[in-house]
Amino acid sequence: EHVLSFAACTGNAEIIRMVIESGADIRAVDSMGNTALHVLALQPNRTIACQVYDLIESLEEPDASLRASLLPNLEGLTPIKLAAVEGNIVMFQHLMNKRRLTQWTFGPVSNCLYDLSGIDSWGEDYSVLELVVASKRTEALSILELPPLKQLISLKWNRYGKFYFWLLTLLYLAYIITFTLCCTYRPLKPRTSNVTDPRDTTVFVQRTLQEAYSAEGDHIRLVGEVVSVMGAIVTLLLEIPDILRFGARRYFGRTALGGPFHVIIISYACLVLLILALRLTDTQGEVLAMSLALVLGWCNVMFFARGFPMLGPFTIMIQKMIFGDLLRFCWLMFLVLLGFTAAFHITFQTLEPDLWPHFRDFSTCLFTMFQLFLGLLDIPINYEKWTPAIIKVLYVSYMVFAFLLMVNLLIAMMGDTHWRVAHERDQLWRAQVVATTILLERHLPRFLWPRVGIDGESVGLGNSWYLRVEDRIDVGGQKVRRYAQHFRPAEQASREKGQRSPAGQGWEIVRRTALQGEGPDRVYHV
């Protein structure tokens, strides 16, 4: 919305100089709070955007109280943070190189100090590490491979993160085992009421609240139940602030942040509190909540596989398949099952239920159709009695459509997901490690997680913190580029004359010799 921003987008250096010399404010913001430097982080022509960024910074007044590169927009993002969120690798690396201080260089090795202001998550509300992990763009995850982020993440994880995470894994295993034992030895008593249904085989029922803690062994179980309830409350207290911080859609939808595992652990905690409410009110039906809570609690153990290099990438694969392909397939499968179940149920309504127990009612018929869908059961037809022909027609149609087509569709979907995720699973796993490190760093006391890096005051560089990184220049790559630059003028000149250059002839002879094993002996001077 400003002339300076529009000139910066087009890369017009003359107009940029003219408007700034005429009094244009470099720190002027548009309706979204973006300065011209913010707008440059959004441009597709990234090389020109970096050059214009340097030009605008060089024209800024040196005595300015607040540099334009430090101004946040309405979302609280500075230009370098905006480049990280948008996955602009070129701009982000360019801005990090501007904040780099080279201490010494010896041949291809150089020792540099990188300013961690706004980069490190220690003491920052919205650091670059956290913004990259929560970004909607997949390209942003590649920024985690750039210095100094790669070295910072490795230092934090290897020094503190992995040990605390392994300890958390052991605590969760002990917790879920305690909850499992409490469910296994829940208070039951023999049933005294009469049986009203011939199919009812229940012999034990839930004890009342007064009877549940009368024996000596019940007090031991009470301790485990208190631990289970306290663990559920702590889980909710830790998860709710993160939901409010990132937003429910991003928090549950991003694979790097844990995604569906947060849904699992929150559902588990809510079920544990529901069991508590049922126990306190003497309400029957806690077995259903216990069964679901046990399944969710043990499935959440996969969340802790991210702390191990061998299991972490495969957890990404399972997460993508189960919570992506399988959910979509289950929705399609449910529609197919519902339609055919209704057809079978209507057909068996006129037949005697005792001769067809698998199709007695709609719920039993639905479970039977599910078993047929997976090929776990042959159709339970009573061959001693007359069977309507429509049942056989429905059965053949159902097996062709459901068992053959739908199951092969699921296999194809998972194969496609495996091929697609195999290229990015390692990257996503490293992003999950970053998210876990930030989570532990935020919730652990400061004395258990000291800040990594070098204090700027100790080396005379102000209040900022720095990270020492050893950069190595690829000498082989430089040689290849020098050779390419040498051959390019000769090829270009020969192309203008319409003939092959000596360099081109040399490469042709090498190619022919490699293929045929022969060629004239000629000498070429480079």
Side-chain angles (χ1 to χ4, degrees), residues 66-340:
L66 182 61
R67 309 292 294 179
S69 59
L70 301 179
L71 285 175
N73 59 8
L74 296 182
E75 296 180 354
L77 303 177
T78 59
I80 189 171
K81 291 182 179 180
L82 183 60
V85 171
E86 294 295 325
N88 192 338
I89 302 175
V90 176
M91 177 63 76
F92 180 82
Q93 191 170 20
H94 177 71
L95 296 181
M96 286 305 306
N97 291 336
K98 292 171 67 68
R99 303 169 63 172
R100 178 180 61 184
L101 300 175
T102 302
Q103 289 190 309
W104 53 262
T105 302
F106 186 79
V109 181
S110 61
N111 192 283
C112 305
L113 291 178
Y114 284 90
D115 188 359
L116 297 180
S117 300
I119 307 297
D120 191 5
S121 57
W122 205 96
E124 289 279 346
D125 290 335
Y126 294 98
S127 63
V128 170
L129 288 178
E130 189 171 353
L131 292 171
V132 167
V133 172
S135 176
K136 299 179 181 179
R137 298 183 178 271
T138 309
E139 300 87 356
L141 299 181
S142 301
I143 294 178
L144 299 176
E145 298 297 322
L146 301 178
L149 271 68
K150 182 178 181 180
Q151 290 79 4
L152 179 63
I153 295 167
S154 178
L155 188 62
K156 283 188 172 187
W157 177 253
N158 292 322
R159 183 176 294 183
Y160 306 110
K162 65 180 181 181
F163 301 108
Y164 289 136
F165 191 74
W166 293 347
L167 179 61
L168 185 63
T169 303
L170 294 177
L171 290 177
Y172 182 80
L173 287 175
Y175 168 76
I176 196 64
I177 290 174
T178 301
F179 176 72
T180 304
L181 292 176
C182 293
C183 294
T184 304
Y185 296 98
R186 64 191 183 97
L188 298 175
K189 64 179 180 180
R191 178 177 179 174
T192 57
S193 57
N194 295 329
V195 176
T196 57
D197 194 324
R199 293 187 299 167
D200 192 354
T201 58
T202 303
V203 294
F204 287 95
V205 294
Q206 177 183 334
R207 280 193 273 174
T208 62
L209 182 63
Q210 291 76 14
E211 301 172 343
Y213 306 99
S214 57
E216 181 179 356
D218 295 336
H219 296 88
I220 300 177
R221 190 190 69 251
L222 176 62
V223 175
E225 292 174 350
V226 171
V227 171
S228 301
V229 173
M230 292 301 297
I233 295 175
V234 170
T235 299
L236 292 178
L237 293 178
L238 292 177
E239 292 289 334
I240 292 176
D242 289 333
I243 296 175
L244 300 177
R245 182 183 184 87
F246 295 102
R249 184 174 182 179
R250 183 179 300 180
Y251 190 63
F252 296 130
R254 289 290 298 164
T255 303
L257 292 175
F261 287 110
H262 295 294
V263 180
I264 290 176
I265 193 63
I266 291 176
S267 302
Y268 163 79
C270 293
L271 287 173
V272 172
L273 296 181
L274 177 62
I275 296 171
L276 174 64
L278 294 175
R279 182 71 59 84
L280 293 177
T281 57
D282 279 337
T283 304
Q284 300 292 327
E286 66 177 22
V287 61
L288 177 62
M290 281 185 178
S291 302
L292 296 177
L294 284 172
V295 172
L296 295 177
W298 281 104
C299 286
N300 193 60
V301 176
M302 288 191 298
F303 172 81
F304 296 93
R306 64 170 60 186
F308 304 90
M310 183 182 298
L311 302 176
F314 292 100
T315 306
I316 298 291
M317 194 76 68
I318 296 174
Q319 181 177 339
K320 286 285 187 178
M321 287 184 178
I322 293 179
F323 301 106
D325 297 335
L326 194 58
L327 288 179
R328 292 192 294 267
F329 177 78
C330 288
W331 173 245
L332 295 175
M333 181 184 69
F334 175 74
L335 297 178
V336 175
L337 282 178
L338 199 61
F340 277 96

Side-chain angles (χ1 to χ4, degrees), residues 36-37 52 84 104 113 122 259 263 290 295 304 349 352 364 422 450 464-465 484 494:
L37 301 182
V52 175
W104 53 262
L113 291 178
W122 205 96
V263 180
M290 281 185 178
V295 172
F304 296 93
Q349 273 183 334
E352 186 177 353
T364 307
S464 301
W465 280 72
S494 63

